[in-house]
Structures are given as C-alpha cells and as structure tokens.
Amino acid sequence: MSQTPFVPESKLPALGTTIFTQMSALAQQHNAINLSQGFPDFDGPDYLKARLAYHVSQGANQYAPMTGVLPLREAIATKTAELYGYKPDSNSEITVTAGATEALYAAITALVRAGDEVICFDPSYDSYAPAVTLAGGVMKRIALQPPSFRVNWQEFAELLSPRTRLVILNTPHNPSATVWQKSDFAALWQAIKDQEVYVLSDEVYEHICFAAEGHASVLAHPQLRERAIAVSSFGKTFHMTGWKVGYCVAPAALSAEVRKVHQYLTFAVNTPAQLALADMLTAGPEHYRELPAFYRARRDRFVQALSTSRLKVLPCEGTYFLLADYSAISDLNDVAFCQWLTKEVGVAAIPLSVFCADAFPHKLIRLCFAKQEATLDAAAERLCQL
Ligand code: PMP
Ligand code: GLN
C-alpha cells in the first residue's frame, strides 16, 4: 500500500544543480567541445598511475588514518616549506581530505556558528555559500569588478563587523583568473588583526600561477597563517580531478576543529591514492614546479588562436581558465549566451553571473584551457567564426 511521501522543507531552497554539471550535460547532449567544467581532457603522469596500481596490488586497501597517510602529510609539509618558507607539522597541522571541496566544507562547518558573518569576494566559487548557510552563517559579499577584480580594502573595512567570523578568499581565482598579491594579504592582516576573524584561503590553483611574483600563499604570511586554513587539491596539480584528494594546512588548534568534522564527513580518504600521491610528490617534484610553464603554453596558444575572433580576452594570471567578453558578438545575457554557444556553435563555456549574488551585467564567459592542443584549436576555430 503506497503512502503519500513526505517532502522535506529544503534547507537550501534556492539551490539547483551546479552550473558545472548543467553545462557538461548540455555539452554532452549537443556533442559540443566542453570548455565549461574545469577538468583536463588528458591524463596525469604515468608514474602516478603506476604507483596507484602498485599500492592496490600490495594490499593497501583498508582505511587510511583519519588525518591522512603519514608519507603524504610529510610530503605536503616538505612542499609547503619549499614553496612558502614555512614547514607545517605533519601530525597536527595537515589533514588530507576528499578533494578541496571536503576541506572547504569541513572548515566552514567547524568555524561558522549561527549568526556569524562570513565575508567573501564575488564572483566566488559555488561551494562556499551553501556550506555557510547550512552552518547558520550569513554571507557578506564584496562584488569585485572586471577586468582587474581587485579588492577595495576600504570597502572590506566597512563590511567588517563585530559579527565577522571568517573571510573566504581564493587565489589564483576561479573564475576571474586573477591572483592576490602579497600586498593584499598584508591589507587583509591589517584589517582583521585586532579581531577574532579566521581566514579560509582556497589555493587549489597554487601551482597554476603565471604572475611574475608567483603565488602569494596565506601560508607565507607569518601572522595570517596563525589564523588561516589553506586548502589545496591534487586534482588540479596532477590532472586527476576524479581522484578527489585534497588537503588543508592550519595551526593545530584549527586543524583539531576541522578534523572533528572531517572524521564524521568522510573519516578518511582513499588509501592507495594517498600513497601514490606521496610517491609522486617525493619522486617527481618537477611536475608541480613545471606546471606554470605547462599551462602558460596552453594559455598562450589558445589566446593566440582566438586573436582573430570577436571575443575580447581578459588577462589571465593564474588557473586554467580564460575570461572572454562577447559583447561584440551578442546582446544575450551570459547564461543564455552559454546555452546558445553550446547548442549552436558547439563550444560549452561557463557564465560568470552564476558566481555572483548581485546582478553581474557584464558579458563575460569562462573557457577552460586545460585541454589538448587539438581540442583548443578546434574550439578556437569555431569561436573565430562568430
Ligand atoms: N575551489 C575551487 C576554486 C575550485 O575551482 C575547485 C574545483 N575546480 C575546488 C575548490 C574543488 O576542488 P576538488 O575537486 O579537489 O574538490
Ligand atoms: N571546480 C570546477 C570548475 O570550476 C568544477 C568542479 C565541479 O564540477 N564540482 O569548473
């Protein structure tokens, strides 16, 4: 006997399926070249794949320690010391998570209490706000403006309140492809130093930075890192987004709180993948050291291929995304334009307005260039017809 099912009142009533899932599905449906969702159409290093197979064959198939396997935490500590001049303690300050997404969620859940205010910078990555809402927090957004998307620190100071608990930033920034400079971190520190405010620094593209001064990590700032949770993702670094292994670095007291959430969100992360990543970091650090040059070549090829199109390409200082202004081509809004582009032109892209709470009237789309040269050339050829 069937009963009328209950329909729960949604805790996230305004939320639908992510734009990445939507656009990838549309791309597939229309057989379009998919430059929307950010993932490479090539594989990661053979050595990494071989090490995964090796560890599976050796029986490393049971639960990993809750915080991550020790060789991986040690390799992360070594890499962090090399890059940012600070060696976190591998036992108490590094936690391996199921992708950066889990680290972000665990950090927000651990830190944000009901009524707390969380400052973020729009356009902002789509996973932050739902986690803040579920924790009972209130989003306070600073709308960054193209083409530079720089933070106005006066505006930031005005938004700061006694209820501010957390600031969420992302550098190199998805989707704007801009980066924070050391001076931005210095300004952030000046603004929050006298208040109990924490920083969640999403640095998943830390190794895909083209800026002359390199990636400015929160971990390189001696005072800020005492208040910060820095998040990264091996999916981006090793071209393996499907492995979903990430991590966060934070002072012991903050890590302890993040781990309380992590242990009941996933408990532990895929064991053989962690061991393989530890081997890869130790045996092949040149992979991440050479990543900027690897992606710079793809960026430059794609920009060059688009130079005869009517798209106006914005500067790209980091990430594997390129922004393009299509106002010379169409009056459609960005969501409608991306749908049209996918269905009629055969190139899928991401509209920018979906990353903003306020109206974002700019005619900008995001194109992912983590693709084989042939894919980029084919996409550019279609875009140049417009
Ligand atoms: N933050 C940003 C800015 C991202 O672009 C992504 C994924 N593209 C993530 C977090 C999530 O990373 P992961 O796939 O490791 O969960
Ligand atoms: N972060 C990826 C992007 O920006 C997508 C990740 C996802 O699909 N959840 O395209």
Side-chain angles (χ1 to χ4, degrees), residues 18-21 24 35-39 101 125-127 174-175 204-205 236 241 244 320-321 350 355 366 368:
T18 81
I19 190 69
F20 310 116
T21 303
S24 275
L35 306 189
S36 63
Q37 191 177 23
F39 62 88
T101 308
Y125 188 62
D126 66 343
S127 81
N174 174 12
V204 299
Y205 301 100
K236 320 291 168 190
T241 60
K244 293 296 295 185
Y320 45 49
F321 303 116
I350 295 285
F355 300 105
R366 191 196 81 176
C368 174

Side-chain angles (χ1 to χ4, degrees), residues 158-169:
E158 283 160 18
L159 203 59
L160 207 60
S161 89
R163 301 178 80 102
T164 306
R165 173 78 165 171
L166 183 67
V167 178
I168 306 179
L169 68 101

Side-chain angles (χ1 to χ4, degrees), residues 14 17 34 73 84 86 140 168-169 173 197 208 223 232 235 247 256 276 282 290 306 311 313 317 327 371 376:
T17 308
N34 190 0
R73 282 184 281 115
Y84 310 126
Y86 165 68
K140 295 282 169 182
I168 306 179
L169 68 101
H173 184 246
V197 174
I208 312 177
Q223 290 89 25
S232 193
Y247 64 91
T282 311
E290 289 164 7
L306 291 175
L311 290 171
V313 167
E317 303 175 294
S327 52
K371 304 294 167 190
L376 295 175

Side-chain angles (χ1 to χ4, degrees), residues 272-292:
Q274 290 192 62
L275 292 168
L277 286 161
D279 294 344
M280 182 73 216
L281 281 174
T282 311
E286 62 279 1
H287 175 91
Y288 63 77
R289 292 183 193 139
E290 289 164 7
L291 212 52

Side-chain angles (χ1 to χ4, degrees), residues 72 76 232-240 245-247 277 281:
L72 182 56
I76 292 167
S232 193
S233 169
F234 292 116
K236 320 291 168 190
T237 304
F238 293 113
H239 316 310
M240 300 292 209
V245 184
Y247 64 91
L277 286 161
L281 281 174

